Structures are given as structure tokens and as C-alpha cells.
Amino acid sequence: MLNSTGELEFSNEEDAEIISQLTSLALSDGKSSAGAPEKTGYPDSVYVMAANIFQGIRIEKSAQKVLIKYGNEPLRSFSESEDQSFQRLSYELAFSALKYQDILETILIDSCIFPSTTIPDHLSSLIIVMLYDFQDRKFQTRVLSDNEESISEVQEVENLLNSFKIKLAAALARCRIKHDALSIYHILPETVRKQELRASTLPLYAWINTCKISPEEVYNNLKRRGYNKVKSVLHIDDKVFAVDQHCYDVLIFPSHLKNDLINIDLFKDYKLIFQDKSRSLAVHSVKALLNMDDDILMVNTGSWYTVAHMSILTNNNTSKVFVCGVQSQAKDPDLKTLFTKMGCKNIEILRETFINIESKDHRLQKVKVILLLPRCSGLGVSNPVEFILNEHEDTEFLKDHSQGGISVDKLHILAQQQYEQLTHAMKFTKAQAVVYCTCSVCPEENEAVVKKALEFQDLGNKVQLYRLSPPVLPLCSLKEIQLSTDKFFRMEPSEITNGCFLSILTRERDPSETVSVKDVLARAAAKGLLDGIELGKSSKREKKKKKSKTSLTKAATTDNGIQMKIAEFLNRETKASANLSETVAKPSLPQKNTAQVGASSQTRKHKLAPHPAVPTFMKNTCPSRPRERQTHFIRPRPEDRMVALKPIEIVLPPVFMPFSSPQGIRSRMPTQHLYCHWVAPKPLVPTCLPTPSLSRKGEKPKDDTRSSLLRPPRRWL
């Protein structure tokens, strides 16, 4: 039982004056509280859980500097199955008490609570967290709800603090004056203050579960709830959202909307999932490196949401997602329930830790990409509490952030662990890529680890060596381009995002493992992924390859066949022209036919005149010529088509009449008039051919008879 000496009366006028000034100051952050809701305290169960968290992360001091003794036994918690909002409040309260641990201990000593009262050691953590909340409420009485369950330990500590309220306020005021600070917030190290400032404005990132809902449906759902889509949510107090530039399935919300968002169905039904952006960058980098049936091995995933996101991105593939390091079988039912709710079907859990998995494990023979998310200092994270809740990091993460840095010895230990995991990942002979991602901005954990692993690769293996590859993510700003010049993807901590580092190591595929497109499609069809699609038909590219391989062997046969068809056509036309009493002139052929027939006729131009009869002409045109073969297989360029149109006027005069000279043609011309019916074609190339004058039906043509005779009949059209 706590022994209190009762309320203390102060006769010192100086202390009374200091106490009167406390009511006008916002003691915890030094900012005006106008417009902000007054804090009324937390439920008893939150204090108990926060005290247990603080007990595990508090800063231990040497025996000479110990002011307050802390017990080792945790308090009995009555709310073990609380939701995430309850856990968030507890972690935030414990982390705040941790940042001000030295100041709070000094206030307790200065106010004579210690050692004037007999306090059990196991309640010391509870006193620290409740004192922080007490001064944050400006020493106002906590408002209790009627249906709230009370805890005896909390009630005892609260009565003690209320009895020492005046002296606690005076001790706090003296502490501020000693440090020349407007509030205890300004007593914190500058790095911690900057971190808190970024955390207060950091937007919320949430990825879309495309297995349950499409992005368009999410947009429409949010718009019905009053949210507007914008390009940037920075410095906007309204209900808005934006789409991330690096990840197409990630949405961004202003930080002040957190309480409103967690209560809508999109988040309750796992259609939208809050998570740090660095994890989405990692899984999207893996997705860009995958083929359709490649498997993935995930190491140190932290949050199961990262595993689920990877599974959903590969849902349409035949890939499997292996997760290592889940040693507790008690978690299996909860994980299966979570993955079922989220629609994940291709996840397989391995019991072994990553270091203990052999590189030639038969289960991992199809693993082509390894995603490595090693435990790191997290010095790029602005809001460590949110990161703890989302990524399931251990509470040591909070201890490092409470002091604004990490010791050199601990940083070296982390870097060595990261190096060992990366080199072990590079030993998997079947893997073709390793994605290494941290939420730290320390070069010792990032560039140094990657470069060292690349430098000391095992040259004895017959497999290809890894090399550093450029980022596969889009670079959306000049700053990102500058930060990625050495092939590393970096994001510095800012008011819109946490810091992170991402590196991609790749090597060439083993030629013996190269899989054709036909094999991949066959596998997909065997697994039922290609419903109703026939695979028997060859692609255009394959047909083109086959055609190019056989074109040389079939060229002579094809050319002879074309020449024979032309000869037969000319023979028929010769017989028909002998029975005609009048010749019908036709316009020039369309461009496509002209290019084909004209090209063949142009090659015969110099051999038509010397021969007196058609049979001789046919005799000379039938044999194939090697030079003419290319005419039928090479696609003519635009300038070639223009040249091919010019010889049309002198192509076929020797074909129609068995005479060898134009004079013979004139002497045997019929005397009757020739009536021509022109169908005017559109000129294909300006100034390429003379356009004949058009005549109406029944009128004589204006051009001479020779011009009419030089046009071939159009019976083949």
C-alpha cells in the first residue's frame, strides 16, 4: 500500500508564483493548444500495458547513478485481446515516457515522492508513465467513463500523484528554468525534436488489396465518403488522398485522417492496409524482376502485411512466396486466418531461420529472387511507434530512437549481421537476383554492406557473379536521380516519407535454364491460367523466323511459278486480243499491284524490242534470274515505288500485237473510232505519272490513239 504524507502546503511565495504560471503553458510541447481538444487521460488498461512496455525498454543506469529502482515483474494485464488502436495508445505513452525518463525521474526526486513514500519497485514503471500523462494534462483530474473497468494499482498511483500535484508542478517548473526551456519538449535533443516534427506531418500510406477490390472501386468508394483525389496531400487539412508515384497500388492520406480511416469498411475488410512505403518499394522491386513462374524467398519480413502484399502482386503468376524464420507453430492458425481474409493463396512458411537454410534446399530450386529485409537501426524512420506496430520490430527499436541515435558498437553488430545474411543469400545458386532493403540512412548498414558482399564473392563457384544493377523503380524527381547515380535507390527522411535504402544485385541466367515462351505458356495452360486460349497457333514472330529460314531454298521455285503464271496470262491475252474488234483502255493499276507487276515488267524492258514475236518473248521471260528474286521478297521503299510506276506506258505493246516495231502497229490499226471509258484513279505520287484527261461515257477521248493502246487490259483485276 502506498504511504502518502498528504498534500503539501507551500509558504514560499516564489514557488506559488511559479505554480500560477504553469496553467498558461503547454508543458509537453511548448505550442499553443488553442483549437486542440483537451486531454482527459487513458483507460486503466492502457496505463498497465504502457508500464509493461516501458519496463522492457527503459534505459538502465549504473549503480552509482540509479535514482529509482524498477522491479522485474510485469503488471497483470486485463486486456490481452485489445485492438490495434489500444496497442498504439500504449506504445505511444511508453515511448513518450522513455524519451523523458531522466526528466521524470528528476521531478519525482525533487518533489519528494521518492524516498518519502514507500513504493513497491514493480510500480515504478507505472508511476513514470502516469506522471508523463499527468503533466501532459497540465495536472488536471482524469475523466473516467462509467463503464470503464478500474485496476487497483492504477487507482493507487493516481491518488498518490494527485496528493503531490502542487509540488510536482513546482518541480517541473524548476526543471524548465534550469534548462532555460519553454517546456520539457525543448529539453529533448535536437535530433529527437526534428524526428517528432516530421512524425507529426508524415502522411499515411496504404496499399490496395487488388485480390479483393480494384483501384477504381477504391477511388469511387472514397469519393462517396467525401474524399477527393489530389496530386499531393501535403499541407491539406481536408479529406483527400493521392496515388503514389512509385507504386501504382499505394494511396497517400494526410496524417490527421488516421482515426477516421481505421473505422471505414475498406480497412476493416483488408481492402486497404496501412504500411510504411519502404516495404511497398521493396515488393514492387521484386515484382519487376520476376518471370511468370519464378518463386520468391522472403527474409526478415517483420510484418505479415509485407508477405501478403508480395503474394497479392504475384497472384496472377504461378509463383510461390516462401517465408523463413517462423518457428512458433502457435502462430500458424492466426496467420492462415489472416492470409485467408486477405485472399493470399501462394504463401509457404518455412520453420528454419534463413542462416540455417541450405542453399541447395530442394524446396527452393525455383527461387529466382530473394527479398532481404534485415533488422536495422531504423534511423530513417520518423514515427517509430507506427513502424513498430506495422513491422512488428522488437521494442529495442524504440530505445534507440528515444535518444536520437545508436551506439557505434551496436551499429557494427547490426552491420555484421546484415553482411552475413546478404552473403548467404548470394550462395543460392538458382537465384538470379537479391533485393536488399533497409529503413536506415546509415552508410554502414547500406552501401558498405553491399559493396563488401560484392567484393568478397566466392570465385570458386561456376555460377555467374552478382553485379550491382540500377533501380527498377521510377525516379520521379531530380533529387531521386541524383541520389541514384551510383545505382542505389535512396529516400531521405522528409515531411512526406521515411528514409529508406534499396539495392538490387543481379546476375545472368544460366543458359541451361533458359525457358522458351512456348514452355512458359504450356505450364500456364497446364495450371489452368489460360482459359480457352489455344496454344497450337504459332506467333507471328515464329512464323516470320520460319519464313526467313526457308525463303532462300524456295526462292527459285517461287520465282519460276510467278513467271509461269505471267506467261500463261500473256498467252491468254494474246489470243483474246486477236478476236477483239476494239481495244479498251484502262487506267493505271493501284499502287500495290503496280509495284508487283511493274517491277517484273521493268526487268524485261530491254529484251522486248529485239524479238519479233510473242513466243520468243515468252521463251526468254520464263527462266528465273537470280537478280530478280530479290524483287519479290524485299519490301520496296517509297522511292522505289515511284520508279516502278514510270515504265507502265511502255510495258506491253509487243504483247498485244505480234509485231516488232511501232510502225507495224500503225499500219495494221483498225480504222474505226475507239471509245474509252476511264475510271480515274487518285494519283499516288505527285508528278510521277501523267494523268490522262477524263471522258464521260460515250465521248471520244482527248488523247491520241497511241496513248490508248499503250494501256494494258484490266482483266486480272
Side-chain angles (χ1 to χ4, degrees):
M1 187 70 182
L2 301 180
N3 298 322
S4 174
T5 59
E7 292 191 8
L8 299 179
E9 298 181 359
F10 292 90
S11 58
N12 192 315
E13 296 181 357
E14 182 180 355
D15 287 348
E17 183 180 355
I18 293 174
I19 295 173
S20 64
Q21 294 175 355
L22 296 177
T23 57
S24 62
L25 296 175
L27 300 178
S28 61
D29 58 5
K31 301 177 184 178
S32 174
S33 60
E38 293 185 0
K39 297 182 179 180
T40 59
Y42 300 98
D44 288 8
S45 55
V46 172
Y47 290 121
V48 172
M49 185 173 183
N52 289 334
I53 296 172
F54 178 82
Q55 177 71 21
I57 63 176
R58 64 181 175 82
I59 300 173
E60 297 182 1
K61 301 178 181 179
S62 60
Q64 295 80 9
K65 297 182 179 180
V66 170
L67 301 177
I68 298 177
K69 294 182 180 180
Y70 296 89
N72 297 323
E73 298 179 3
L75 296 175
R76 186 165 55 96
S77 177
F78 296 90
S79 303
E80 297 179 354
S81 59
E82 295 289 344
D83 57 9
Q84 192 175 14
S85 61
F86 172 87
Q87 296 179 4
R88 180 177 289 102
L89 293 175
S90 301
Y91 273 98
E92 288 176 349
L93 181 57
F95 182 60
S96 298
L98 180 64
K99 289 185 294 184
Y100 298 100
Q101 179 179 342
D102 288 341
I103 299 173
L104 296 174
E105 288 179 350
T106 302
I107 292 174
L108 289 173
I109 297 296
D110 192 22
S111 63
C112 298
I113 290 184
F114 287 94
S116 62
T117 57
T118 304
I119 303 175
D121 291 345
H122 71 280
L123 293 180
S124 298
S125 297
L126 182 60
I127 292 175
I128 290 291
V129 297
M130 293 190 68
L131 175 59
Y132 172 80
D133 178 59
F134 195 31
Q135 66 83 31
D136 195 32
R137 291 185 278 117
K138 302 179 185 180
F139 299 99
Q140 300 298 315
T141 305
R142 181 168 62 117
V143 178
L144 300 175
S145 60
D146 297 335
N147 56 353
E148 182 180 340
E149 180 183 1
S150 62
I151 300 176
S152 60
E153 291 86 350
V154 174
Q155 298 298 322
E156 290 183 65
V157 171
E158 186 172 26
N159 293 334
L160 173 66
L161 295 178
N162 281 325
S163 65
F164 280 85
K165 175 169 60 175
I166 298 176
K167 196 168 185 180
L168 288 171
L172 176 61
R174 287 192 291 269
C175 182
R176 292 192 297 106
I177 293 173
K178 178 182 177 180
H179 291 87
D180 192 20
L182 182 63
S183 69
I184 63 173
Y185 168 79
H186 294 91
I187 303 176
L188 293 175
E190 184 178 0
T191 54
V192 178
R193 295 202 306 269
K194 288 183 177 179
Q195 175 183 296
E196 286 194 354
L197 182 61
R198 287 197 305 267
S200 63
T201 61
L202 191 67
L204 305 171
Y205 290 86
W207 53 269
I208 301 172
N209 185 350
T210 52
C211 283
K212 304 189 73 173
I213 193 171
S214 66
E216 291 74 17
E217 290 175 328
V218 173
Y219 304 157
N220 295 333
N221 191 310
L222 291 173
K223 288 178 181 178
R224 289 194 297 268
R225 297 178 180 273
Y227 288 82
N228 296 319
K229 186 178 179 182
V230 296
K231 292 185 177 180
S232 175
V233 300
L234 196 62
H235 307 305
I236 299 180
D237 296 331
D238 297 332
K239 298 174 68 173
V240 296
F241 70 95
V243 180
D244 185 68
Q245 293 180 323
H246 298 97
C247 308
Y248 63 88
D249 62 343
V250 174
L251 301 184
I252 313 172
F253 299 90
S255 58
H256 67 273
L257 298 176
K258 182 65 175 282
N259 293 332
D260 181 57
L261 290 171
I262 60 178
N263 294 319
I264 66 176
D265 294 338
L266 288 175
F267 287 91
K268 290 181 178 180
D269 298 337
Y270 296 100
K271 296 177 180 178
L272 277 177
I273 294 91
F274 285 120
Q275 195 168 24
D276 186 68
K277 181 180 175 179
S278 63
R279 295 324 191 209
S280 297
L281 293 174
V283 297
H284 274 274
S285 296
V286 173
K287 178 65 169 62
L289 298 169
L290 289 175
N291 289 325
M292 196 175 88
D293 57 346
D294 291 345
D295 291 345
I296 309 110
L297 176 61
M298 301 185 68
V299 184
N300 294 344
T301 55
S303 172
W304 294 111
Y305 290 153
T306 308
V307 180
H309 197 181
M310 188 76 262
S311 172
I312 288 166
L313 286 179
T314 58
N315 186 57
N316 294 328
N317 299 4
T318 57
S319 305
K320 283 186 178 180
V321 180
F322 291 93
V323 186
C324 59
V326 184
Q327 299 178 357
S328 176
Q329 296 184 3
K331 294 183 178 180
D332 286 356
D334 295 336
L335 292 179
K336 291 180 180 179
T337 302
L338 175 65
F339 293 149
T340 301
K341 289 181 178 179
M342 300 185 72
C344 304
K345 301 177 181 178
N346 58 344
I347 299 174
E348 188 168 332
I349 297 175
L350 306 178
R351 299 296 176 194
E352 305 92 329
T353 59
F354 178 60
I355 295 297
N356 294 329
I357 296 178
E358 296 183 1
S359 58
K360 296 183 179 180
D361 194 306
H362 69 279
R363 299 168 296 179
L364 308 177
Q365 293 304 299
K366 290 180 62 180
V367 169
K368 301 301 179 184
V369 183
I370 300 176
L371 174 56
L372 183 58
L373 302 169
R375 184 173 178 269
C376 63
S377 64
L379 293 181
V381 177
S382 300
N383 192 338
V385 172
E386 287 293 336
F387 197 80
I388 282 281
L389 294 173
N390 293 333
E391 301 306 320
H392 296 178
E393 292 283 351
D394 57 41
T395 52
E396 286 290 324
F397 189 81
L398 292 178
K399 183 185 294 187
D400 298 332
H401 276 262
S402 66
Q403 306 303 311
I406 186 174
S407 65
V408 177
D409 294 339
K410 189 170 185 178
L411 186 63
H412 288 165
I413 294 173
L414 289 174
Q416 182 61 28
Q417 294 173 354
Q418 294 155 0
Y419 170 74
E420 292 175 358
Q421 290 183 343
L422 181 56
T423 53
H424 186 63
M426 296 168 67
K427 293 178 183 178
F428 285 74
T429 56
K430 298 295 183 179
Q432 304 299 327
V434 177
V435 178
Y436 179 87
C437 181
T438 72
C439 55
S440 173
V441 292
C442 296
E444 294 85 353
E445 299 180 274
N446 300 331
E447 296 90 341
V449 171
V450 174
K451 291 178 180 179
K452 183 179 178 182
L454 290 174
E455 182 180 356
F456 293 99
Q457 292 188 72
D458 187 2
L459 303 178
N461 293 334
K462 296 182 180 180
V463 296
Q464 301 275 356
L465 296 180
Y466 276 99
R467 65 182 186 275
L468 194 61
S469 296
V472 294
L473 297 168
L475 303 178
C476 304
S477 66
L478 179 60
K479 187 176 182 180
E480 290 181 6
I481 296 174
Q482 293 173 348
L483 292 173
S484 305
T485 52
D486 53 357
K487 297 184 180 180
F488 295 117
F489 183 88
R490 302 180 183 87
M491 294 188 71
E492 295 182 346
S494 64
E495 59 183 354
I496 60 173
T497 182
N498 287 323
C500 75
F501 171 86
L502 196 145
S503 176
I504 297 176
L505 309 180
T506 60
R507 61 183 172 193
E508 296 294 335
R509 277 185 180 267
D510 187 350
S512 63
E513 296 181 0
T514 303
V515 182
S516 65
V517 176
K518 187 176 181 180
D519 294 337
V520 174
L521 293 176
R523 293 180 187 176
K527 295 186 179 184
L529 298 178
L530 304 178
D531 295 334
I533 300 178
E534 298 181 1
L535 300 178
K537 298 182 179 179
S538 301
S539 62
K540 293 183 179 179
R541 183 175 296 178
E542 292 179 354
K543 290 181 179 179
K544 189 174 182 181
K545 288 182 179 179
K546 292 179 181 179
K547 185 176 180 180
S548 62
K549 290 180 181 178
T550 58
S551 59
L552 294 177
T553 58
K554 295 183 179 180
T557 305
T558 306
D559 191 57
N560 290 337
I562 294 175
Q563 295 296 340
M564 290 298 296
K565 290 180 181 179
I566 294 176
E568 292 176 3
F569 160 72
L570 294 175
N571 190 20
R572 290 196 307 269
E573 291 300 320
T574 304
K575 294 179 181 180
S577 61
N579 299 327
L580 290 175
S581 59
E582 60 182 23
T583 304
V584 180
K586 299 288 183 180
S588 60
L589 298 175
Q591 183 176 354
K592 183 176 179 180
N593 294 337
T594 305
Q596 296 174 352
V597 179
S600 300
S601 303
Q602 185 180 4
T603 59
R604 306 188 194 102
K605 176 179 178 182
H606 302 290
K607 298 200 175 198
L608 294 180
H611 301 285
V614 172
T616 307
F617 165 74
M618 293 169 57
K619 192 184 210 178
N620 292 332
T621 56
C622 290
S624 61
R625 300 176 181 85
R627 282 189 178 182
E628 293 177 4
R629 295 174 191 170
Q630 298 181 359
T631 309
H632 303 285
F633 298 98
I634 299 178
R635 187 176 181 179
R637 294 173 295 178
E639 54 269 21
D640 296 335
R641 296 178 184 175
M642 294 172 61
V643 175
L645 291 174
K646 291 181 180 179
I648 284 188
E649 290 187 326
I650 58 174
V651 170
L652 297 175
V655 176
F656 293 112
M657 299 297 180
F659 302 106
S660 60
S661 64
Q663 289 79 8
I665 296 175
R666 286 197 189 96
S667 62
R668 299 175 186 249
M669 286 278 295
T671 57
Q672 64 268 24
H673 296 286
L674 298 177
Y675 294 90
C676 302
H677 179 205
W678 287 95
V679 179
K682 295 182 179 179
L684 298 175
V685 181
T687 69
C688 179
L689 288 174
T691 304
S693 59
L694 304 180
S695 60
R696 297 180 182 177
K697 186 176 181 180
E699 294 184 359
K700 296 182 179 181
K702 293 183 180 180
D703 56 332
D704 56 0
T705 310
R706 175 186 289 185
S707 176
S708 300
L709 285 173
L710 294 180
R711 272 36 172 209
R714 296 181 60 192
R715 295 195 176 187
W716 61 85
L717 294 181

